[in-house]
Amino acid sequence: MPSDDLNTLRNDALPKIGAAPDTEALEDIRIALLGKSGAVTQAMKALGGLEPEARKARGAELNVLKTALTEALAARRATLESAGLTARLAAQRIDISAPPRPEPPGAIHPISRTLDEIAAIFGAQGFAVKEGPDIEDDWTAFGALNIPVHHPARAMMDTFYLNAAFGNRRALLRPHTSSVQTRTMVEWARLRATMSETPPIRIIVPGRTYRSDHDATHSPMFHQCEGLVIAKDITLGHLKGCLIDFLRAYFDAPALPVRFRASYFPFTEPSMEVDIGWNRKTGEIGKGGDWLEILGSGMVHANVLANCGIDPREFQGFAFGMGIERITMLKYGIADLRLFYESDVRWLRHYGFSALAPAMLHEGFER
Ligand code: PHE
């Protein structure tokens, strides 16, 4: 049987704990019982003055009492806290009539918009969009494309090489999207070996490209769009018609003058730069009697076809490649290419496009 004084203490404390109106009152009770000079603590301290037998008995009683009080305090605390939360939730209602903070709509970046427009125009001509990795090997990016080891495009100051390799091929950041030509042709040649009929290749390849250049019109990371058509009967006439149609649709100028000028690329033969008519002084496109270089093109070199496993006596085709930043700058009068990547929200708001008005060929492309 517990001693009378401890019984009294317990009978006195438990109802008080159960009735504590809030957590502060409960804390006061806890301190009065179990605090440094609380009743139970004092009784514990007094144990030292007892005979061993009596000390043992009373110590055990005190421990039982202390546990009972501690549990009662914790239980009351939990009850008070959950009641407090319920009361707060009831009192603080969400006012759903408050007007929401305005959320300004984002805008489509001009580079993305140009890629969408290119995909819409070539899509209408039956091209599919194809993508490839930014990290390439030097055979896919150079060797297969008839770009020999001594070619300046391969030099350190032009291309970013990685401290890595794919087998015995060096890893690099692709300096043009033409690497996806290689991938597509190699894949196609493999497929042809297993099928009696293979559709022609007709792809565009939009994507990021890398060269170690940096000024107002060159960025170490930029975008290109490649094009590739391979079939049995593709001629230079197809190349010209396809690109003239593209340029007139893209620049929204049905009578845009387009000039094909003999040039050189290792992976095409013959090769041509494609120029459009413009006014050098005013920057106006389509009029003015000056010529502006827009893209590179040509008939895929027989060596390139053969490197990729395609018989050049059976198939031929054309390829082209253009810089996305360049044609975007021309169309929208953007003077410095670095602005594309500065993420200045004011600039993006001004030059960006509504996501609700996607690029669709039949609607034309407003300038
Ligand atoms: N790869 C060339 C460049 O980066 C562009 C090009 C592609 C030219 C395909 C001809 C044919 O400049």
Side-chain angles (χ1 to χ4, degrees):
M1 271 302 283
S3 324
D4 284 353
D5 64 329
L6 298 189
N7 239 345
T8 311
L9 189 65
R10 177 195 184 97
N11 291 341
D12 192 38
L14 288 179
K16 264 199 211 154
I17 293 173
D22 50 42
T23 51
E24 288 86 43
L26 189 66
E27 180 63 4
D28 290 343
I29 298 173
R30 187 191 68 77
I31 291 168
L33 293 166
L34 305 173
K36 246 193 206 142
S37 43
V40 178
T41 317
Q42 291 302 328
M44 291 264 192
K45 279 186 187 155
L47 282 178
L50 295 182
E51 293 302 318
E53 274 303 302
R55 188 195 304 158
K56 204 172 161 197
R58 195 168 162 85
E61 279 175 35
L62 274 169
N63 277 335
V64 171
L65 175 63
K66 191 174 172 187
T67 307
L69 294 177
T70 308
E71 279 169 7
L73 285 164
R76 183 63 187 159
R77 175 170 292 274
T79 308
L80 288 172
E81 279 173 355
S82 84
L85 181 64
T86 312
R88 260 209 318 285
L89 287 176
Q92 306 174 337
R93 283 183 188 285
I94 294 171
D95 180 0
I96 55 166
S97 70
R101 245 176 254 149
E103 192 73 62
I108 305 288
H109 193 282
I111 296 288
S112 303
R113 170 71 186 193
T114 295
L115 290 173
D116 288 347
E117 292 183 5
I118 291 174
I121 299 169
F122 283 110
Q125 292 192 23
F127 283 73
V129 172
K130 183 123 202 233
E131 290 182 319
D134 291 6
I135 298 175
E136 266 301 359
D137 66 76
D138 65 345
W139 183 79
T140 306
F142 293 132
L145 294 167
N146 210 25
I147 300 175
V149 177
H150 60 260
H151 195 282
R154 287 203 182 207
M156 282 292 187
M157 71 265 201
D158 239 32
T159 297
F160 294 107
Y161 287 91
L162 304 179
N163 266 338
F166 299 100
N168 55 5
R169 297 174 182 176
R170 268 191 91 175
L172 47 82
L173 293 179
R174 67 178 181 190
H176 52 189
T177 42
S178 306
S179 50
V180 184
Q181 283 194 34
T182 310
R183 289 177 170 272
T184 306
M185 287 190 281
V186 167
E187 205 178 283
W188 190 76
R190 262 196 220 123
L191 201 63
R192 258 183 57 74
T194 67
M195 293 171 79
S196 54
E197 289 288 330
T198 2
I201 296 176
R202 206 188 288 132
I203 55 157
I204 55 164
V205 184
R208 278 186 289 271
T209 45
Y210 306 84
R211 287 180 206 178
S212 39
D213 261 342
H214 203 193
D215 60 35
T217 54
H218 295 89
S219 151
M221 189 285 299
F222 59 105
H223 298 76
Q224 278 194 342
C225 185
E226 192 82 5
L228 177 69
V229 176
I230 303 285
K232 287 210 160 111
D233 47 9
I234 297 296
T235 69
L236 200 119
H238 295 117
L239 180 164
K240 291 177 77 174
C242 167
L243 289 177
I244 291 171
D245 279 358
F246 163 72
L247 290 167
R248 289 182 174 166
Y250 176 74
F251 287 108
D252 200 14
L256 180 71
V258 179
R259 178 174 79 171
F260 291 81
R261 181 166 42 84
S263 182
Y264 172 78
F265 297 103
F267 34 89
T268 46
E269 178 59 35
S271 304
M272 290 166 300
E273 300 281 359
V274 186
D275 304 336
I276 60 171
W278 79 321
N279 185 323
R280 190 180 301 278
K281 289 213 183 67
T282 63
E284 211 184 341
I285 285 166
K287 328 183 167 114
D290 299 316
W291 291 105
L292 181 64
E293 182 186 316
I294 294 288
L295 59 97
S297 69
M299 299 303 289
V300 178
H301 198 293
N303 290 352
V304 173
L305 292 169
N307 288 342
C308 296
I310 298 175
D311 184 351
R313 285 160 308 185
E314 198 181 353
F315 291 97
Q316 59 182 25
F318 64 86
F320 56 87
M322 64 187 108
I324 303 303
E325 280 78 359
R326 179 166 168 74
I327 64 170
T328 307
M329 289 164 79
L330 284 170
K331 185 164 175 177
Y332 300 109
I334 298 166
D336 191 327
L337 163 141
R338 288 169 290 205
L339 296 168
F340 283 128
Y341 314 116
E342 272 171 14
S343 302
D344 182 334
V345 173
R346 295 160 306 172
W347 186 89
L348 290 169
R349 241 177 237 142
H350 179 78
Y351 283 102
F353 290 83
S354 166
L356 300 175
M360 283 189 285
L361 189 57
H362 65 272
E363 290 182 346
F365 300 130
E366 300 247 316
R367 271 210 257 170

